[in-house]
Amino acid sequence: RKRRAPRMTTRQGNLLGLAACVGLLAYAYYAQVFLHLDPCPLCIFQRIGVFTLGSVFLAAAGQDGGLWARRVYSLLLGLAALATIGVAVRQLYIQSMPPGSVPACGASLDFMLKVFSLSEVLVKVLKGSGECAKVTWTFLGLAMPPWVLIAVFVLGAYGIWNNLRRRAPVLRL
């Protein structure tokens, strides 16, 4: 009888998702520090979304939960991914607007957080500004927001699948 290769456990799968999120954030930090690409407010919100996704992967990996816990983690991963995708889509929309129709650059995110309530900051950031419309980096013809959208969609779908699939048996040595 043929032996099947051992499958990845749910915990290992969640650690893999966490590693991907850490990689995305590490590249964002690299782009900011070494490529001198300062993030706009929408970019920062996307980073927060990737960080949240990674945090849920970490929490899921740290707990050997039953079916209900894995369902909750799947839901949280899906919500974090959808929120981040929403921000990336918003930035893509702003970047696709014709020149002159994008609002002028506004105050920095730091300043807005000091002066306005969090709900006012969210509304102002999601309206977008000139700095969110600039495309200063591309890879294979795509700017950063579409790459974030693709990566987060894949990570969200993977996280949901990983936590809802039948559990792989734990390998005992």
Side-chain angles (χ1 to χ4, degrees), residues 18-107:
L18 170 64
C21 290
V22 168
L24 288 171
L25 291 171
Y27 183 77
Y29 180 74
Y30 169 81
Q32 180 178 346
V33 173
F34 296 103
L35 301 179
H36 307 290
L37 300 175
D38 290 328
C40 73
L42 287 174
C43 294
I44 292 170
F45 278 25
Q46 289 170 66
R47 288 181 187 187
I48 292 169
V50 172
F51 178 83
T52 303
L53 197 61
S55 298
V56 177
F57 273 122
L58 177 62
Q63 179 183 14
D64 191 23
L67 179 62
W68 281 104
R70 290 184 292 128
R71 285 181 178 170
V72 168
Y73 287 123
S74 293
L75 175 67
L76 293 174
L77 288 165
L79 291 174
L82 283 175
T84 308
I85 288 168
V87 175
V89 166
R90 179 66 181 155
Q91 188 166 6
L92 278 169
Y93 171 73
I94 291 168
Q95 288 180 344
S96 71
M97 295 173 80
S101 62
V102 178
C105 293

Side-chain angles (χ1 to χ4, degrees), residues 74-161:
S74 293
L75 175 67
L76 293 174
L77 288 165
L79 291 174
L82 283 175
T84 308
I85 288 168
V87 175
V89 166
R90 179 66 181 155
Q91 188 166 6
L92 278 169
Y93 171 73
I94 291 168
Q95 288 180 344
S96 71
M97 295 173 80
S101 62
V102 178
C105 293
S108 71
L109 186 59
D110 289 339
F111 177 79
M112 287 191 288
L113 287 170
K114 289 177 186 171
V115 175
F116 301 111
S117 70
L118 185 58
S119 61
E120 289 174 309
V121 171
L122 287 172
V123 169
K124 288 182 183 303
V125 168
L126 291 176
K127 282 184 180 176
S129 66
E131 62 188 320
C132 294
K134 292 179 194 167
V135 176
T136 56
W137 176 96
T138 60
F139 178 68
L140 298 177
L142 296 177
M144 251 189 233
W147 283 115
V148 171
L149 190 151
I150 292 165
V152 169
F153 176 81
V154 169
L155 280 170
Y158 166 77
I160 291 168
W161 169 81

